[in-house]
Amino acid sequence: MNSFFFGIYPYIALSVMVIGSIARYERDPFTWKTSSSQLLRRRQLIIGSVLFHVGVLVIFFGHLVGLLTPIVVFDALGISHGAKQLLAVVAGGIAGIMALIGGAMLLHRRWVDPRIRKTSSLADIAILILLLAQLVLGLGTIFVSLQHLDGHEMTKFMAWAQMIFTFRAGAAEQIADVAPIFKLHIVLGLTIFLVFPFTRLVHIASGFFAPLRYLFLRSGYQLVRSRRRRPLEERRRSAEPRAAGARAATIPHGTAGGAVPSAAE
């Protein structure tokens, strides 16, 4: 099972995420969004959304840099494994608590308010629960990491992630003996990648790739065509006689040659 979940499952999850997101965008790009409910419980939405998104972004890029940067780079910069481990614990802990509070506020808002819940799909609520469970597991790993402040355990995850992304064999063996909570954290994270294209999470990718497609992959400038068939100048010329007739119809009789005759005349 260790070989499957940490040697094969990562490729399944990442492949489904990439191919599924591209297929969804090509099939129906207008679904790369989140349904707006900002008019309801607006203050709770703003606070929860800011906390959640800031926390998640810090965690995501922290994992990305921390796991995929070669160890020799940290050694060349004079950053010890222990210092990197401590930085990950402190920064990850703060960002994780922010994201957890924000996510709980968003889930409460979506679950409790009947109007918002009515416009929410099962996938909207389920993915929030998955993300909150992942955050709880991530914060739980901090207590185990504090027992390994020498950074030795951290290098195992770095070796595993870099072997996965460089398609090298034996990646699963690198983390075979780590604590179970780390393994649960990794498997749940990969599962979130797996369901990514089928949930509202796909809007994250649109923030990165939609501008690139607009700038570099579009065939030309956007053309806006009128539904009217006749050219503008032709419509303008045909409208002038009608406008002149309408103005003449509004002039009272008798004003063209003199004053309007009164009733006494």
Side-chain angles (χ1 to χ4, degrees), residues 131-218:
L131 289 171
L132 290 176
Q134 179 70 338
L135 288 168
V136 170
L137 282 175
L139 290 172
T141 62
I142 291 177
F143 300 101
V144 181
S145 297
L146 290 175
Q147 303 173 18
H148 303 278
L149 288 179
D150 58 354
H152 178 67
E153 288 290 293
M154 173 201 63
T155 58
K156 296 179 180 179
F157 298 108
M158 294 175 67
W160 169 78
Q162 291 168 28
M163 291 178 73
I164 289 292
F165 276 88
T166 53
F167 303 98
R168 284 182 286 168
E173 285 72 17
Q174 299 294 323
I175 55 173
D177 59 344
V178 301
I181 191 170
F182 286 113
K183 293 185 176 183
L184 287 174
H185 187 55
I186 293 173
V187 171
L188 185 54
L190 293 172
T191 303
I192 292 173
F193 288 154
L194 182 72
V195 302
F196 181 91
F198 315 108
T199 66
R200 63 192 292 120
L201 287 180
V202 77
H203 81 279
I204 299 173
S206 66
F208 292 103
F209 298 114
L212 295 178
R213 174 164 183 168
Y214 178 77
L215 292 173
F216 302 110
L217 300 179
R218 60 179 179 170

Coordinates of all heavy atoms in Angstrom, one line a residue, residues 131-218:
L131 N -10.9 20.5 2.7 CA -9.8 21.5 3.0 C -9.6 21.7 4.5 O -8.5 21.8 4.9 CB -10.1 22.8 2.3 CG -10.0 22.7 0.7 CD1 -10.6 24.0 0.1 CD2 -8.6 22.5 0.3
L132 N -10.7 21.8 5.2 CA -10.6 22.0 6.7 C -9.9 20.8 7.3 O -9.1 20.9 8.2 CB -12.0 22.3 7.3 CG -12.6 23.6 6.9 CD1 -14.0 23.8 7.5 CD2 -11.7 24.8 7.5
A133 N -10.3 19.6 6.9 CA -9.7 18.4 7.4 C -8.2 18.4 7.1 O -7.4 18.0 8.0 CB -10.4 17.1 6.8
Q134 N -7.8 18.8 5.9 CA -6.4 18.9 5.5 C -5.7 19.9 6.4 O -4.5 19.6 6.8 CB -6.3 19.2 4.1 CG -4.9 19.3 3.5 CD -4.2 18.0 3.5 OE1 -4.5 17.0 4.1 NE2 -3.1 17.9 2.6
L135 N -6.3 21.0 6.7 CA -5.7 22.0 7.6 C -5.5 21.5 9.0 O -4.4 21.7 9.6 CB -6.5 23.3 7.6 CG -6.5 24.1 6.3 CD1 -7.6 25.2 6.3 CD2 -5.1 24.7 6.1
V136 N -6.5 20.7 9.5 CA -6.3 20.2 10.8 C -5.2 19.1 10.9 O -4.4 19.1 11.8 CB -7.7 19.5 11.2 CG1 -7.5 18.7 12.5 CG2 -8.8 20.5 11.4
L137 N -5.1 18.3 9.8 CA -4.0 17.3 9.8 C -2.7 18.1 9.7 O -1.7 17.7 10.3 CB -4.2 16.4 8.6 CG -5.2 15.3 8.7 CD1 -5.3 14.6 7.4 CD2 -4.8 14.3 9.8
G138 N -2.6 19.1 8.9 CA -1.4 19.9 8.7 C -0.9 20.5 10.0 O 0.3 20.4 10.4
L139 N -1.9 21.1 10.8 CA -1.5 21.6 12.1 C -1.1 20.5 13.1 O -0.3 20.7 13.9 CB -2.7 22.4 12.6 CG -3.0 23.7 11.9 CD1 -4.3 24.3 12.4 CD2 -1.9 24.7 12.1
G140 N -1.7 19.4 12.9 CA -1.4 18.2 13.8 C 0.0 17.8 13.6 O 0.7 17.3 14.5
T141 N 0.5 17.9 12.3 CA 1.9 17.5 12.1 C 2.9 18.3 12.8 O 4.1 17.9 12.9 CB 2.2 17.5 10.5 OG1 2.1 18.8 10.1 CG2 1.3 16.6 9.8
I142 N 2.5 19.5 13.2 CA 3.5 20.4 13.8 C 4.0 19.8 15.1 O 5.2 19.9 15.5 CB 2.8 21.8 14.1 CG1 2.6 22.5 12.8 CG2 3.7 22.6 15.1 CD1 1.9 23.9 13.0
F143 N 3.1 19.1 15.9 CA 3.5 18.5 17.2 C 4.5 17.4 17.0 O 5.4 17.2 17.8 CB 2.3 18.0 17.9 CG 1.3 19.1 18.2 CD1 0.1 19.2 17.4 CD2 1.4 20.0 19.3 CE1 -0.8 20.2 17.7 CE2 0.5 21.0 19.5 CZ -0.6 21.1 18.7
V144 N 4.4 16.7 15.8 CA 5.4 15.7 15.5 C 6.7 16.3 15.0 O 7.8 15.9 15.4 CB 4.9 14.7 14.4 CG1 5.9 13.6 14.1 CG2 3.6 14.1 14.9
S145 N 6.6 17.4 14.2 CA 7.8 18.1 13.7 C 8.6 18.7 14.8 O 9.8 18.8 14.7 CB 7.4 19.2 12.7 OG 6.7 18.6 11.6
L146 N 7.9 19.1 15.9 CA 8.7 19.7 17.0 C 9.6 18.7 17.7 O 10.5 19.1 18.4 CB 7.7 20.3 18.0 CG 6.9 21.6 17.6 CD1 5.9 22.0 18.6 CD2 7.9 22.7 17.3
Q147 N 9.4 17.5 17.5 CA 10.2 16.4 18.0 C 11.4 16.1 17.1 O 12.3 15.3 17.5 CB 9.4 15.1 18.3 CG 8.2 15.3 19.2 CD 7.3 14.1 19.3 OE1 7.8 13.0 18.9 NE2 6.1 14.3 19.7
H148 N 11.4 16.8 16.0 CA 12.5 16.5 15.0 C 13.0 17.9 14.5 O 13.1 18.1 13.2 CB 12.0 15.6 13.8 CG 11.5 14.3 14.3 ND1 12.2 13.2 14.6 CD2 10.2 14.0 14.5 CE1 11.5 12.2 14.9 NE2 10.2 12.6 14.9
L149 N 13.4 18.7 15.4 CA 13.9 20.1 14.9 C 15.2 20.1 14.3 O 15.7 21.1 13.9 CB 13.9 21.0 16.1 CG 12.5 21.4 16.6 CD1 12.6 22.4 17.8 CD2 11.7 22.1 15.5
D150 N 15.9 18.9 14.2 CA 17.1 18.8 13.5 C 16.9 18.8 12.0 O 17.9 19.0 11.2 CB 17.9 17.6 13.9 CG 17.1 16.3 13.6 OD1 15.9 16.4 13.3 OD2 17.7 15.2 13.8
G151 N 15.6 18.7 11.6 CA 15.3 18.8 10.1 C 15.5 17.5 9.4 O 15.3 17.5 8.1
H152 N 15.9 16.4 10.1 CA 16.1 15.2 9.3 C 14.9 14.6 8.7 O 14.9 14.1 7.6 CB 16.7 14.1 10.3 CG 17.0 12.8 9.7 ND1 18.0 12.6 8.7 CD2 16.4 11.6 9.9 CE1 18.0 11.3 8.3 NE2 17.0 10.7 9.0
E153 N 13.7 14.7 9.4 CA 12.5 14.2 8.9 C 12.1 15.0 7.6 O 11.5 14.4 6.7 CB 11.4 14.2 9.9 CG 11.5 13.2 11.0 CD 11.3 11.8 10.5 OE1 10.1 11.5 10.2 OE2 12.2 11.0 10.5
M154 N 12.3 16.3 7.7 CA 11.9 17.1 6.6 C 12.6 16.8 5.3 O 12.1 16.8 4.2 CB 12.2 18.6 7.0 CG 12.1 19.6 5.9 SD 13.0 21.1 6.2 CE 14.7 20.4 6.2
T155 N 13.9 16.4 5.4 CA 14.7 16.0 4.2 C 14.1 14.8 3.5 O 14.2 14.6 2.3 CB 16.1 15.7 4.5 OG1 16.2 14.7 5.5 CG2 16.8 17.0 5.1
K156 N 13.4 13.9 4.3 CA 12.7 12.8 3.7 C 11.6 13.2 2.7 O 11.5 12.7 1.6 CB 12.2 11.8 4.7 CG 13.2 11.2 5.7 CD 12.6 10.3 6.7 CE 13.6 9.7 7.6 NZ 12.9 8.9 8.7
F157 N 10.8 14.2 3.2 CA 9.7 14.6 2.3 C 10.3 15.4 1.1 O 9.7 15.3 0.0 CB 8.8 15.5 3.1 CG 8.1 14.8 4.3 CD1 8.5 15.1 5.6 CD2 7.2 13.9 4.1 CE1 7.9 14.4 6.6 CE2 6.6 13.2 5.1 CZ 6.9 13.4 6.4
M158 N 11.3 16.1 1.3 CA 12.0 16.8 0.2 C 12.4 15.8 -0.9 O 12.2 16.0 -2.1 CB 13.1 17.7 0.6 CG 12.7 18.8 1.5 SD 14.1 19.8 2.2 CE 14.7 20.5 0.7
A159 N 13.1 14.8 -0.4 CA 13.6 13.7 -1.4 C 12.4 13.1 -2.1 O 12.5 12.8 -3.3 CB 14.5 12.7 -0.6
W160 N 11.4 12.8 -1.3 CA 10.2 12.1 -1.9 C 9.6 13.0 -3.0 O 9.3 12.5 -4.1 CB 9.2 11.8 -0.8 CG 7.9 11.4 -1.4 CD1 7.5 10.1 -1.9 CD2 6.7 12.2 -1.5 NE1 6.2 10.1 -2.3 CE2 5.7 11.4 -2.1 CE3 6.4 13.5 -1.2 CZ2 4.4 11.8 -2.4 CZ3 5.1 14.0 -1.5 CH2 4.1 13.2 -2.1
A161 N 9.3 14.2 -2.7 CA 8.7 15.1 -3.6 C 9.5 15.3 -4.9 O 9.0 15.3 -6.0 CB 8.3 16.5 -3.0
Q162 N 10.8 15.5 -4.7 CA 11.7 15.8 -5.8 C 11.9 14.5 -6.7 O 12.0 14.6 -7.9 CB 13.0 16.3 -5.4 CG 12.9 17.7 -4.7 CD 14.2 18.1 -4.0 OE1 15.3 17.7 -4.3 NE2 14.0 19.0 -3.0
M163 N 11.8 13.4 -6.1 CA 11.9 12.1 -6.9 C 10.6 11.9 -7.7 O 10.6 11.4 -8.8 CB 12.2 10.9 -6.0 CG 13.6 10.9 -5.4 SD 13.9 9.6 -4.3 CE 14.0 8.2 -5.4
I164 N 9.4 12.3 -7.1 CA 8.2 12.2 -7.8 C 8.2 13.1 -9.0 O 7.8 12.7 -10.2 CB 7.0 12.5 -6.9 CG1 6.8 11.4 -5.8 CG2 5.7 12.8 -7.7 CD1 6.3 10.1 -6.4
F165 N 8.6 14.3 -8.9 CA 8.5 15.3 -10.0 C 9.6 15.1 -11.0 O 9.5 15.6 -12.1 CB 8.6 16.7 -9.4 CG 7.3 17.3 -8.9 CD1 6.8 17.0 -7.7 CD2 6.4 18.0 -9.8 CE1 5.6 17.5 -7.2 CE2 5.2 18.4 -9.4 CZ 4.8 18.2 -8.1
T166 N 10.6 14.3 -10.7 CA 11.7 14.0 -11.7 C 11.6 12.6 -12.2 O 12.5 12.1 -12.8 CB 13.1 14.2 -11.1 OG1 13.2 13.5 -9.8 CG2 13.3 15.7 -10.8
F167 N 10.5 11.9 -11.8 CA 10.1 10.6 -12.3 C 11.2 9.5 -12.0 O 11.6 8.7 -12.8 CB 9.9 10.6 -13.8 CG 8.8 11.5 -14.2 CD1 9.1 12.8 -14.7 CD2 7.5 11.2 -14.1 CE1 8.1 13.7 -15.1 CE2 6.5 12.1 -14.5 CZ 6.8 13.3 -15.0
R168 N 11.7 9.6 -10.8 CA 12.7 8.7 -10.4 C 12.1 7.6 -9.5 O 11.2 7.8 -8.8 CB 13.8 9.4 -9.5 CG 14.8 10.2 -10.4 CD 15.9 10.8 -9.5 NE 15.4 11.9 -8.7 CZ 16.1 12.5 -7.7 NH1 17.3 12.0 -7.4 NH2 15.6 13.5 -7.1
A169 N 12.6 6.4 -9.7 CA 12.0 5.2 -9.0 C 12.4 5.3 -7.5 O 13.5 5.9 -7.1 CB 12.5 3.9 -9.6
G170 N 11.6 4.6 -6.7 CA 12.0 4.5 -5.2 C 11.5 5.6 -4.4 O 12.0 5.7 -3.2
A171 N 10.6 6.5 -4.9 CA 10.2 7.6 -4.1 C 9.5 7.2 -2.8 O 9.7 7.8 -1.7 CB 9.3 8.5 -4.9
A172 N 8.6 6.2 -2.9 CA 7.8 5.7 -1.8 C 8.6 5.3 -0.6 O 8.3 5.5 0.5 CB 6.9 4.6 -2.2
E173 N 9.8 4.7 -0.9 CA 10.7 4.2 0.2 C 11.2 5.4 1.1 O 11.6 5.2 2.2 CB 11.8 3.4 -0.4 CG 11.4 2.0 -0.8 CD 10.6 2.0 -2.1 OE1 10.7 3.0 -2.8 OE2 10.0 1.0 -2.4
Q174 N 11.3 6.6 0.5 CA 11.8 7.7 1.2 C 11.0 8.0 2.5 O 11.6 8.5 3.5 CB 11.9 8.9 0.3 CG 12.8 8.7 -0.9 CD 14.3 8.5 -0.5 OE1 14.8 9.1 0.4 NE2 15.0 7.6 -1.2
I175 N 9.7 7.8 2.4 CA 8.9 8.2 3.6 C 8.1 7.0 4.1 O 7.1 7.1 4.8 CB 7.8 9.2 3.1 CG1 7.0 8.8 1.9 CG2 8.5 10.6 2.8 CD1 5.9 9.7 1.6
A176 N 8.7 5.8 4.0 CA 8.1 4.6 4.5 C 7.9 4.6 6.0 O 7.0 4.0 6.5 CB 8.8 3.4 4.0
D177 N 8.9 5.2 6.7 CA 8.9 5.1 8.1 C 8.5 6.4 8.9 O 8.7 6.5 10.1 CB 10.3 4.7 8.6 CG 11.4 5.7 8.2 OD1 11.1 6.5 7.3 OD2 12.5 5.6 8.8
V178 N 7.8 7.3 8.1 CA 7.4 8.6 8.8 C 6.2 8.3 9.6 O 5.5 7.3 9.4 CB 7.2 9.7 7.8 CG1 8.5 10.0 7.0 CG2 6.1 9.4 6.8
A179 N 5.8 9.3 10.4 CA 4.6 9.2 11.3 C 3.4 9.1 10.4 O 3.3 9.7 9.4 CB 4.5 10.4 12.2
P180 N 2.3 8.3 10.9 CA 1.1 8.1 10.1 C 0.4 9.4 9.8 O -0.2 9.5 8.7 CB 0.3 7.2 11.0 CG 1.2 6.5 11.9 CD 2.4 7.4 12.1
I181 N 0.5 10.4 10.7 CA -0.2 11.6 10.4 C 0.3 12.3 9.2 O -0.4 13.0 8.4 CB -0.2 12.6 11.7 CG1 -1.2 13.7 11.5 CG2 1.2 13.1 11.9 CD1 -1.4 14.6 12.7
F182 N 1.6 12.2 8.9 CA 2.2 12.8 7.7 C 1.7 12.1 6.5 O 1.4 12.7 5.5 CB 3.7 12.7 7.8 CG 4.4 13.6 8.7 CD1 5.1 13.2 9.8 CD2 4.4 15.0 8.4 CE1 5.7 14.1 10.7 CE2 5.0 15.9 9.3 CZ 5.6 15.5 10.4
K183 N 1.5 10.8 6.6 CA 1.0 10.0 5.4 C -0.4 10.3 5.1 O -0.8 10.5 4.0 CB 1.2 8.5 5.7 CG 2.6 8.0 5.8 CD 2.7 6.5 5.9 CE 4.2 6.1 5.9 NZ 4.3 4.6 6.0
L184 N -1.2 10.5 6.2 CA -2.6 10.9 6.0 C -2.7 12.3 5.3 O -3.5 12.5 4.5 CB -3.4 10.9 7.3 CG -3.7 9.5 7.9 CD1 -4.3 9.7 9.3 CD2 -4.7 8.8 7.0
H185 N -1.8 13.2 5.8 CA -1.8 14.5 5.3 C -1.4 14.5 3.8 O -2.0 15.2 3.0 CB -0.7 15.3 6.0 CG -0.7 16.8 5.7 ND1 -1.8 17.6 5.8 CD2 0.3 17.6 5.3 CE1 -1.4 18.8 5.4 NE2 -0.2 18.8 5.1
I186 N -0.5 13.7 3.4 CA -0.1 13.6 2.0 C -1.2 13.0 1.1 O -1.5 13.5 0.0 CB 1.2 12.8 1.8 CG1 2.4 13.5 2.5 CG2 1.5 12.5 0.4 CD1 3.7 12.7 2.5
V187 N -1.8 11.9 1.6 CA -2.9 11.2 0.8 C -4.1 12.1 0.6 O -4.6 12.2 -0.5 CB -3.3 9.9 1.5 CG1 -4.5 9.3 0.9 CG2 -2.1 8.9 1.5
L188 N -4.5 12.8 1.7 CA -5.6 13.7 1.6 C -5.3 14.9 0.6 O -6.1 15.3 -0.2 CB -6.0 14.3 2.9 CG -7.3 15.1 3.0 CD1 -8.5 14.4 2.3 CD2 -7.6 15.5 4.4
G189 N -4.0 15.4 0.7 CA -3.6 16.4 -0.2 C -3.7 16.0 -1.7 O -4.1 16.7 -2.5
L190 N -3.2 14.8 -1.9 CA -3.3 14.2 -3.3 C -4.7 14.0 -3.7 O -5.1 14.2 -4.9 CB -2.5 12.9 -3.4 CG -1.0 13.0 -3.2 CD1 -0.4 11.6 -3.1 CD2 -0.3 13.8 -4.3
T191 N -5.6 13.6 -2.8 CA -7.0 13.5 -3.1 C -7.7 14.8 -3.5 O -8.5 14.9 -4.4 CB -7.7 12.8 -1.9 OG1 -7.1 11.6 -1.6 CG2 -9.2 12.6 -2.3
I192 N -7.2 15.9 -2.8 CA -7.7 17.2 -3.2 C -7.3 17.6 -4.6 O -8.1 18.1 -5.4 CB -7.3 18.2 -2.2 CG1 -8.0 18.0 -0.8 CG2 -7.6 19.7 -2.7 CD1 -7.5 18.8 0.3
F193 N -6.0 17.2 -5.0 CA -5.6 17.4 -6.3 C -6.4 16.6 -7.3 O -6.8 17.1 -8.4 CB -4.1 17.0 -6.5 CG -3.2 17.9 -5.9 CD1 -1.9 17.5 -5.4 CD2 -3.5 19.3 -5.7 CE1 -1.0 18.4 -4.8 CE2 -2.6 20.2 -5.1 CZ -1.3 19.7 -4.7
L194 N -6.8 15.4 -6.9 CA -7.6 14.5 -7.8 C -9.0 15.1 -8.1 O -9.4 15.0 -9.3 CB -7.7 13.1 -7.1 CG -8.5 12.0 -7.9 CD1 -7.6 11.5 -9.0 CD2 -8.9 10.9 -6.9
V195 N -9.6 15.7 -7.1 CA -11.0 16.2 -7.3 C -11.0 17.6 -7.8 O -12.0 18.2 -8.0 CB -11.8 16.0 -6.1 CG1 -11.9 14.6 -5.6 CG2 -11.3 16.9 -4.9
F196 N -9.8 18.2 -7.9 CA -9.6 19.6 -8.2 C -10.4 20.1 -9.4 O -11.1 21.1 -9.4 CB -8.1 19.9 -8.4 CG -7.8 21.3 -8.7 CD1 -7.5 22.3 -7.8 CD2 -7.7 21.8 -10.1 CE1 -7.2 23.6 -8.1 CE2 -7.4 23.1 -10.4 CZ -7.1 24.0 -9.4
P197 N -10.3 19.3 -10.6 CA -11.0 19.8 -11.8 C -12.6 19.8 -11.7 O -13.2 20.4 -12.5 CB -10.5 18.9 -12.9 CG -9.4 18.2 -12.3 CD -9.6 18.1 -10.8
F198 N -13.1 19.0 -10.7 CA -14.5 18.8 -10.7 C -15.2 19.7 -9.6 O -16.4 19.5 -9.3 CB -14.8 17.3 -10.4 CG -14.0 16.4 -11.3 CD1 -12.9 15.7 -10.7 CD2 -14.2 16.3 -12.6 CE1 -12.1 14.9 -11.5 CE2 -13.4 15.5 -13.4 CZ -12.4 14.8 -12.8
T199 N -14.5 20.6 -9.0 CA -15.0 21.4 -7.9 C -14.7 22.9 -8.2 O -14.1 23.2 -9.2 CB -14.3 21.1 -6.6 OG1 -12.9 21.4 -6.6 CG2 -14.5 19.6 -6.3
R200 N -15.2 23.8 -7.3 CA -15.0 25.2 -7.4 C -13.5 25.6 -7.3 O -13.1 26.7 -7.6 CB -15.8 25.9 -6.4 CG -15.5 25.6 -5.0 CD -16.5 26.1 -4.0 NE -16.6 27.6 -3.9 CZ -17.6 28.3 -4.2 NH1 -18.7 27.7 -4.6 NH2 -17.6 29.6 -4.1
L201 N -12.7 24.6 -6.8 CA -11.2 24.9 -6.7 C -10.6 25.3 -8.0 O -9.5 25.9 -8.1 CB -10.5 23.7 -6.1 CG -10.7 23.5 -4.6 CD1 -9.9 22.3 -4.2 CD2 -10.3 24.7 -3.8
V202 N -11.2 24.9 -9.1 CA -10.6 25.1 -10.4 C -10.5 26.6 -10.7 O -9.7 27.0 -11.6 CB -11.5 24.4 -11.5 CG1 -12.7 25.2 -11.8 CG2 -10.6 24.2 -12.8
H203 N -11.2 27.4 -10.0 CA -11.1 28.9 -10.3 C -9.7 29.4 -9.9 O -9.3 30.4 -10.3 CB -12.2 29.7 -9.5 CG -11.9 29.9 -8.1 ND1 -12.1 28.9 -7.1 CD2 -11.4 31.0 -7.4 CE1 -11.8 29.4 -5.9 NE2 -11.3 30.6 -6.1
I204 N -9.0 28.6 -9.0 CA -7.6 29.0 -8.6 C -6.7 29.0 -9.9 O -5.9 29.9 -10.1 CB -7.1 28.1 -7.6 CG1 -7.9 28.1 -6.3 CG2 -5.6 28.4 -7.2 CD1 -7.6 27.1 -5.3
A205 N -6.9 27.9 -10.7 CA -6.1 27.8 -11.9 C -6.4 28.9 -12.9 O -5.5 29.4 -13.6 CB -6.3 26.5 -12.6
S206 N -7.6 29.4 -12.9 CA -8.0 30.5 -13.9 C -7.3 31.7 -13.5 O -6.9 32.5 -14.4 CB -9.5 30.7 -13.9 OG -9.9 31.2 -12.6
G207 N -7.0 31.9 -12.2 CA -6.3 33.1 -11.8 C -4.8 33.2 -12.3 O -4.3 34.2 -12.6
F208 N -4.3 32.0 -12.6 CA -2.9 31.9 -13.1 C -2.8 31.8 -14.6 O -2.0 32.4 -15.3 CB -2.2 30.7 -12.5 CG -1.9 30.8 -11.0 CD1 -2.7 30.2 -10.1 CD2 -0.9 31.6 -10.5 CE1 -2.5 30.3 -8.7 CE2 -0.7 31.8 -9.1 CZ -1.5 31.1 -8.2
F209 N -3.7 31.0 -15.2 CA -3.6 30.6 -16.6 C -4.4 31.4 -17.6 O -4.1 31.5 -18.7 CB -3.8 29.1 -16.8 CG -2.8 28.3 -16.0 CD1 -3.3 27.5 -15.0 CD2 -1.5 28.3 -16.3 CE1 -2.4 26.7 -14.2 CE2 -0.6 27.5 -15.6 CZ -1.0 26.7 -14.6
A210 N -5.6 31.9 -17.1 CA -6.5 32.6 -18.0 C -5.8 33.9 -18.5 O -5.9 34.2 -19.7 CB -7.8 32.9 -17.3
P211 N -5.1 34.7 -17.7 CA -4.4 35.9 -18.3 C -3.3 35.5 -19.3 O -3.1 36.2 -20.3 CB -3.8 36.5 -17.0 CG -4.6 36.0 -15.9 CD -5.0 34.7 -16.2
L212 N -2.6 34.3 -19.1 CA -1.6 33.9 -20.0 C -2.2 33.5 -21.3 O -1.7 33.9 -22.4 CB -0.9 32.7 -19.4 CG -0.1 33.0 -18.2 CD1 0.6 31.7 -17.7 CD2 1.0 34.0 -18.4
R213 N -3.4 32.9 -21.3 CA -4.0 32.5 -22.6 C -4.5 33.8 -23.3 O -4.4 33.9 -24.5 CB -5.2 31.6 -22.3 CG -6.0 31.3 -23.5 CD -6.9 30.1 -23.4 NE -7.6 29.9 -24.6 CZ -8.3 28.8 -24.9 NH1 -8.4 27.8 -24.0 NH2 -8.9 28.6 -26.0
Y214 N -5.0 34.7 -22.5 CA -5.6 36.0 -23.1 C -4.4 36.8 -23.8 O -4.6 37.3 -24.8 CB -6.2 36.8 -22.1 CG -6.8 38.1 -22.6 CD1 -7.9 38.2 -23.3 CD2 -6.1 39.3 -22.3 CE1 -8.4 39.4 -23.8 CE2 -6.6 40.5 -22.8 CZ -7.7 40.6 -23.5 OH -8.2 41.8 -24.0
L215 N -3.3 36.8 -23.1 CA -2.2 37.6 -23.6 C -1.4 36.9 -24.8 O -1.0 37.6 -25.7 CB -1.2 37.9 -22.5 CG -1.8 38.9 -21.4 CD1 -0.8 39.0 -20.3 CD2 -2.1 40.3 -22.0
F216 N -1.2 35.6 -24.7 CA -0.2 34.9 -25.6 C -0.9 33.9 -26.5 O -0.3 33.6 -27.5 CB 0.9 34.3 -24.7 CG 1.6 35.2 -23.8 CD1 1.5 35.1 -22.5 CD2 2.4 36.2 -24.4 CE1 2.2 36.0 -21.6 CE2 3.1 37.0 -23.5 CZ 3.0 37.0 -22.2
L217 N -2.0 33.4 -26.2 CA -2.5 32.3 -27.0 C -3.8 32.7 -27.8 O -4.3 31.8 -28.5 CB -2.9 31.1 -26.0 CG -1.7 30.5 -25.3 CD1 -2.2 29.4 -24.4 CD2 -0.6 30.0 -26.2
R218 N -4.3 33.8 -27.6 CA -5.5 34.2 -28.4 C -5.0 34.5 -29.8 O -3.9 34.9 -30.1 CB -6.1 35.5 -27.8 CG -5.2 36.7 -27.7 CD -5.9 37.9 -27.2 NE -5.0 39.0 -27.1 CZ -5.4 40.2 -26.8 NH1 -6.7 40.5 -26.6 NH2 -4.5 41.2 -26.8

